[in-house]
Amino acid sequence: MLRLTSYAMAIAAGFGLPDLMTWDEWKVEFDGDRMLLTGDVNEEVRKTQFLENIERIKAQNALYEAGKSAYYYGVNQFTDLSIEEFRMATASKPRPEREERNVVLLDESATVSAVDWREKNAVTPVKNQGQCGSCWSFSATGAMEGDLAVESGNLVALSEKMLMDCSSENHSCEGGLMDYAFKFVISNGGIDSESDYPYQPEDGTCDLGKRAKHVATFSSFQDVTPNNADQLATAVSKQPISVAIQANREEFQLYKGGVLDTRRCGYQLDHGVLVVGMTDQSNADFPNAWIVKNSWGDTWGLEGYIYISRETDTDQRGICGILEDPSYPIGGQAGPAFLEQRLTTA
């Protein structure tokens, strides 16, 4: 695999920012995105932690440049936090257990070797959950947005806040499951748009009027066969897919680019994200990787994305447990509220 020079790494990183900055440069660049913790903020403590993370970035990037690692680190809004503080800032929550699954074995004959649903107008811009454990709602809306776009040709940003406030099986900022979100939307007869029911990183009360507005409807949802890379590839060939991973370690806090291929990120699922595509081994920049959309804003990772290796030699659960619990909705169609809006603006 071709390794990037330090200069090329800086260009490849989101917004052309270098992977390393001084403390003062970082404060200017990320002032509006800093994940400051509640209580008194001691800038000297923050600076000390920042400098410790800079050393971690340098060490990992030296391995990358030497061809000993497939991914590299860089600065982002989390760089002045310890790993424990990072977990608090992203509201990392243990994933609730569930026993029932709706696993459907997919016909693998139509599986493609590579796909990127961003190029097919099936993925909305990267969003930001803030300091709230609502990742499950972003993963769920992402999968529903993708299915709606694939099946109806309409890409509409859907409401995470409606799921947080109204889907009682989930727990808003305290965590939830994508399948429960799909189940709620189906039983509710649809979901409102993000523009009408906008996101706030806090618990709230269900707005019954907005709950009744449906810009998108879905007929059902399915689970991908767990721990089966071929089945996930078949599912991703059809549309973006919700997955759960472990994302509360250094590898995610400081990720900036390349293909994450280490088992160190763990297998204790605590974060919902969206697989929006996959690359094959011939990809020069990101070979054999799942293309994953996160919900930490576009100042994190590669403009809000991470590439996670598709290899399963390390563990059948996939890197970071990405194969353990994938799921997706089906039957997406434009709802009456969307059609009414279209007629009004025509």
Side-chain angles (χ1 to χ4, degrees):
M1 175 181 176
L2 179 64
R3 302 292 164 182
L4 301 178
T5 64
S6 295
Y7 175 77
M9 285 165 61
I11 298 302
F15 309 105
L17 294 175
D19 53 298
L20 293 174
M21 290 181 176
T22 67
W23 170 242
D24 289 334
E25 289 170 340
W26 181 85
K27 284 203 300 179
V28 170
E29 188 64 44
F30 290 96
D31 184 61
D33 299 302
R34 291 179 71 181
M35 305 294 283
L36 299 175
L37 304 177
T38 57
D40 294 332
V41 177
N42 186 316
E43 285 294 298
E44 285 304 312
V45 172
R46 299 271 65 83
K47 180 178 180 180
T48 298
Q49 188 58 59
F50 172 85
L51 294 175
E52 289 180 7
N53 283 329
I54 289 295
E55 292 305 310
R56 293 186 178 94
I57 292 171
K58 289 179 179 179
Q60 175 59 34
N61 292 0
L63 294 174
Y64 178 85
E65 291 181 325
K68 298 179 180 179
S69 180
Y71 60 95
Y72 59 92
Y73 289 165
V75 295
N76 58 37
Q77 67 267 36
F78 304 123
T79 313
D80 67 336
L81 304 179
S82 68
I83 189 63
E84 292 79 12
E85 291 167 336
F86 164 67
R87 291 166 181 164
M88 292 173 59
T90 55
S92 175
K93 306 288 182 184
R95 185 170 168 82
E97 294 293 334
R98 65 187 178 96
E99 297 180 357
E100 294 184 6
R101 295 179 186 272
N102 182 31
V103 175
V104 175
L105 189 64
L106 300 173
D107 179 1
E108 298 177 5
S109 63
T111 303
V112 299
S113 61
V115 65
D116 188 340
W117 288 106
R118 295 173 297 182
E119 298 174 352
K120 300 176 182 293
N121 197 36
V123 183
T124 58
V126 170
K127 305 178 186 182
N128 195 338
Q129 70 187 71
Q131 296 185 43
C132 169
S134 55
C135 58
W136 58 273
S137 67
F138 287 86
S139 176
T141 56
M144 288 187 283
E145 291 162 353
D147 182 66
L148 177 67
V150 170
E151 300 210 44
S152 75
N154 300 301
L155 180 62
V156 182
L158 302 178
S159 175
E160 293 82 21
K161 196 68 170 76
M162 177 177 165
L163 298 178
M164 293 166 61
D165 292 349
C166 305
S167 60
S168 58
E169 285 190 281
N170 289 309
H171 305 290
S172 192
C173 285
E174 299 306 310
L177 294 173
M178 287 78 84
D179 276 18
Y180 290 168
F182 301 149
K183 180 180 175 182
F184 162 75
V185 170
I186 293 164
S187 64
N188 188 57
I191 183 172
D192 197 8
S193 66
E194 184 178 53
S195 60
D196 188 59
Y197 202 153
Y199 180 72
Q200 293 292 330
E202 59 189 16
D203 296 338
T205 302
C206 183
D207 185 321
L208 297 180
K210 294 183 184 299
R211 174 176 172 166
K213 293 183 179 180
H214 304 151
V215 297
T217 65
F218 301 87
S219 61
S220 185
F221 69 92
Q222 297 174 350
D223 293 303
V224 179
T225 303
N227 305 324
N228 189 315
D230 292 337
Q231 282 286 289
L232 180 56
T234 298
V236 175
S237 297
K238 295 155 57 73
Q239 64 192 88
I241 304 295
S242 286
V243 296
I245 57 175
Q246 180 169 350
N248 65 355
R249 294 187 176 175
E250 175 187 299
E251 287 71 27
F252 269 79
Q253 179 184 5
L254 301 176
Y255 173 84
K256 191 68 172 181
V259 178
L260 187 65
D261 63 350
T262 175
R263 65 183 305 161
R264 289 201 308 270
C265 60
Y267 301 94
Q268 301 301 312
L269 307 181
D270 64 3
H271 190 51
V273 290
L274 185 73
V275 177
V276 303
M278 56 191 173
T279 68
D280 58 25
Q281 196 63 51
S282 67
N283 188 292
D285 298 316
F286 307 100
N288 196 38
W290 305 110
I291 308 170
V292 178
K293 180 186 181 184
N294 202 353
S295 53
W296 293 344
D298 59 12
T299 58
W300 175 87
L302 277 166
E303 297 186 345
Y305 286 85
I306 183 171
Y307 287 76
I308 297 179
S309 176
R310 293 170 61 181
E311 67 95 351
T312 55
D313 292 340
T314 300
D315 193 291
Q316 67 173 357
R317 296 169 291 181
I319 298 297
C320 306
I322 196 169
L323 300 177
E324 290 191 67
D325 200 14
S327 59
Y328 58 98
I330 57 176
Q333 295 298 320
F338 175 81
L339 298 175
E340 289 171 10
Q341 183 181 34
R342 176 176 265 182
L343 288 172
T344 302
T345 57

